[in-house]
Amino acid sequence: MLLLILLAYLGGALTIVSPCILPVLPFVFSSASQPFRRSGLPLLIGMALTFALVASLAAVGGGWVVTANQYGRWLALALMAFFALALLFPHVSERLTQPLVSVGNRLSQTAQDGQGRPWAALLLGVATGLLWAPCAGPILGLVLTGAALQGANVGSTVLLLAYAAGAATSLGLALLAGGRVFSAMKRSLGAGEWVRRGLGVLMLGGVAAISLGWDTGVLAQVSTASTGSLEQSLVARLAGDKVPGAAGGDGAAPGGAMTGAVGGAMNGGAMNGGAMNGGAMSGAAMNGGAMTGGAMTGGAMTGAMQAKATQSLSLPDEGPAPALSGAVQWLNSPPLDMAQLRGKVVLVDFWTYSCINCLRALPYVKAWADKYRDQGLVVIGVHAPEFAFERDADNVKRAAAKLGLDYPIAVDNNYAIWRAFNNQYWPAHYFIDAQGRIRHHHFGEGEYDQSERVIQQLLREAGARDVSTQVADVRGQGAQLAPDMAEVGSPETYLGYARAERFASGRVTHDDPATYTAPDKLKLNQWGLAGHWIVEDEQARLDQSGGRIVYRFHARDLHLVLGPGADHKPVRFRVTVDGKAPGDAHGADVAADGSGTVTEQRLYQLLRQPGAVGDHTFAIEFLDPGVSAYAFTFG
């Protein structure tokens, strides 16, 4: 817990060099000429507490927070504009405050004359805190993910306060330095009046920047001081694979786990800078083996491990397996519980059907279920949805049938089993012995040989005879064929504004129709929209036919999670690679001429390129309206 608090604090401290902090700085420095204890400190406290409160609500409150925070944002902007006018034009402030109560008059006068009272600075900090949300980065994404998974608790509140305290510390240091600079200016140049007016202009500029969306749009795109890589380095160095919410695959916290509620509530920026890219940090925050697109990628056992495969593994007791209660439905089986499974070896597999990493692990899980069923192994799939359409039990049932899954599946729409296991990953495998104790776990893809040997040992411990010492020869087909992760240079990328990043088609209009233009050239891993789209928290929905999505990527395979419109009518599309039909590079859901059709909500394999992997520009044009696009994944 102390490590997580340190991570959260350092992540908050790094926001001082994040581009989206720029609109907030004028409000902070408006108190630079005041005594720090009476003005700057209360402002920072108010800002930190408000931010922590809004973030907490975002993590546990659901979609309604999005609307509530949008109203709060505009109220905060109005308050900021009022303070700016007060600094610029004292007589204007006097007229504006005449109808207000005496408290309002005193607050306005305080802002005008620059003296600063603690409660007034605290109020200004509260308003500033509502505007600070877009400065979130990967580390805050992890904190918010953990909070959403675990629900409201003291631990998540402490982490959010630590993040806010880190940002307040760095801003406080800047404020103290700024105060000395401003004092020197007034002493040497007598510029107090101009400083006050200049601060008013800066505050108005900040209000304009935020109201136009520059805090989450232009500033984030033109920045040369993004904190994403710094925060990601902190995550990788200090936390490794132990940071809560760093789920791979298609999402880290259910939202899926957050269904975009967190990102939306934080004005589309709470997951900015790579946080929750890929579900929770797919390919961005923990890319390169720690977690790509969904989970810690890993290879098969090394030769040395294989040589020792017949020896007993060290499988420590990780505690009793939690209950399997809370599923909204069970497929292929009546509801199961751990008591009735006593004496069996149990493998619990957390998955979701549009997660590419889950899909690539399923051939192994299926092989184990078939191979060891008669010797006492029970495989239980726990389907914890990421996107809203994955909550539809009929969708899950159809997907399981197409995938050939005949073992019991718990439809965990409320994440009851997910929380009971304290799980944070897709896919995640928990190995339970015949006494109901967890003896091993593995998160993400890879290490399949070792996982199978764990099953073999637990079966032998349970008294099974003639347990094979060989591992299954498994090779996935289609989208389930594992890639060479060293050749995957593109991270999972979300198209909904809650977790989108590297968007190259200008400012995103939230939840309303807008026309977008795709740039002529894209940098690696940039993407854009063209045509008339409605961008929502977890998806981009095409409002008129002829819309396109473009992406500059580096990988063998390109997948896109798609679904038809509300009327469920098929949507035709055409795919190109570098402006040409894909030919031999077409995926399982595309013909060689690039044509295809969206018929259901799922992951579509659009490209599988033969030969060497390089940088290419992908484009998909939809010939009919209504399609919803959720996320790119690569392999």
Side-chain angles (χ1 to χ4, degrees), residues 121-144:
L122 183 66
L123 179 60
L124 182 60
V126 167
T128 304
L130 291 172
L131 305 177
W132 177 32
C135 288
I139 291 176
L140 182 63
L142 300 179
V143 174
L144 288 171

Side-chain angles (χ1 to χ4, degrees), residues 162-521:
Y163 186 94
T169 299
S170 57
L171 288 172
L173 293 174
L175 183 57
L176 288 172
R180 294 189 180 94
V181 172
F182 281 16
S183 296
M185 288 177 60
K186 288 197 294 184
R187 286 196 303 271
S188 61
L189 302 176
E193 179 66 16
W194 288 107
V195 168
R196 183 177 64 80
R197 291 179 181 271
L199 289 173
V201 171
L202 289 175
M203 288 181 71
L204 280 179
V207 169
I210 294 173
S211 63
L212 292 173
W214 293 356
D215 53 333
T216 56
V218 175
L219 289 173
Q221 292 184 23
V222 303
S223 169
T224 57
S226 173
T227 63
S229 59
L230 292 175
E231 292 192 35
Q232 293 157 13
S233 176
L234 281 173
V235 171
R237 290 177 179 273
L238 298 182
D241 63 342
K242 300 180 181 179
V243 183
D250 289 335
M258 306 223 263
T259 53
V262 171
M266 306 305 289
N267 299 311
M271 307 289 177
N272 187 34
M276 306 294 295
N277 171 34
M281 307 271 318
S282 95
M286 308 276 266
N287 187 26
M291 316 203 92
T292 11
M296 299 169 49
T297 62
M301 295 169 58
T302 63
M305 293 177 67
Q306 290 174 344
K308 299 179 180 180
T310 57
Q311 300 179 10
S312 294
L313 301 173
S314 176
L315 302 178
D317 187 339
E318 299 181 10
L324 297 172
S325 58
V328 300
Q329 185 175 338
W330 282 78
L331 306 178
N332 303 328
S333 167
L336 300 176
D337 60 53
M338 293 308 304
Q340 71 187 96
L341 292 171
R342 189 62 59 90
K344 300 285 188 179
V345 174
V346 179
L347 166 60
V348 176
D349 171 31
F350 286 92
W351 70 295
T352 185
Y353 80 82
S354 74
C355 164
I356 185 59
N357 308 88
C358 299
L359 293 176
R360 291 197 290 246
L362 282 179
Y364 296 90
V365 177
K366 289 169 54 182
W368 300 333
D370 293 338
K371 182 178 179 180
Y372 300 104
R373 180 180 287 114
D374 294 338
Q375 293 178 299
L377 174 67
V378 176
V379 173
I380 298 176
V382 179
H383 186 274
E386 178 181 15
F387 298 113
F389 64 80
E390 291 175 307
R391 294 174 176 270
D392 187 326
D394 288 337
N395 285 348
V396 179
K397 187 175 182 179
R398 282 192 293 269
K402 287 184 177 181
L403 293 166
L405 307 183
D406 58 0
Y407 49 76
I409 296 175
V411 181
D412 193 27
N413 282 354
N414 297 324
Y415 312 106
I417 303 174
W418 176 288
R419 288 191 176 95
F421 275 79
N422 196 28
N423 185 54
Q424 300 167 13
Y425 301 86
W426 286 293
H429 299 148
Y430 293 86
F431 302 82
I432 302 167
D433 66 16
Q435 284 70 49
R437 313 288 295 186
I438 298 177
R439 300 287 300 281
H440 184 69
H441 65 267
H442 181 264
F443 302 138
E445 299 180 62
E447 298 187 9
Y448 300 115
D449 288 0
Q450 183 181 17
S451 293
E452 185 169 357
R453 297 197 188 282
V454 169
I455 294 172
Q456 293 171 352
Q457 178 164 319
L458 294 181
L459 288 172
R460 285 192 289 267
E461 290 181 7
R465 297 183 178 181
D466 301 323
V467 177
S468 173
T469 59
Q470 302 299 314
V471 295
D473 183 13
V474 177
R475 182 176 175 85
Q477 301 297 318
Q480 295 180 305
L481 177 63
D484 178 0
M485 295 309 301
E487 293 290 343
V488 179
S490 294
E492 183 173 10
T493 301
Y494 289 86
L495 278 67
Y497 61 72
R499 287 175 281 177
E501 61 176 352
R502 299 181 301 278
F503 181 63
S505 291
R507 178 172 176 258
V508 173
T509 299
H510 292 190
D511 302 311
D512 289 320
T515 300
Y516 296 91
T517 301
D520 294 332
K521 292 185 179 181

Side-chain angles (χ1 to χ4, degrees), residues 580-622:
K580 301 177 182 178
D584 292 342
H586 71 91
D589 295 300
V590 178
D593 64 358
S595 62
T597 305
V598 177
T599 57
E600 58 185 334
Q601 295 163 315
R602 63 175 175 86
L603 179 143
Y604 287 77
Q605 187 190 71
L606 303 179
L607 295 179
R608 166 155 290 170
Q609 302 179 92
V613 175
D615 295 355
H616 297 283
T617 299
F618 163 86
I620 181 170
E621 180 181 4
F622 298 97

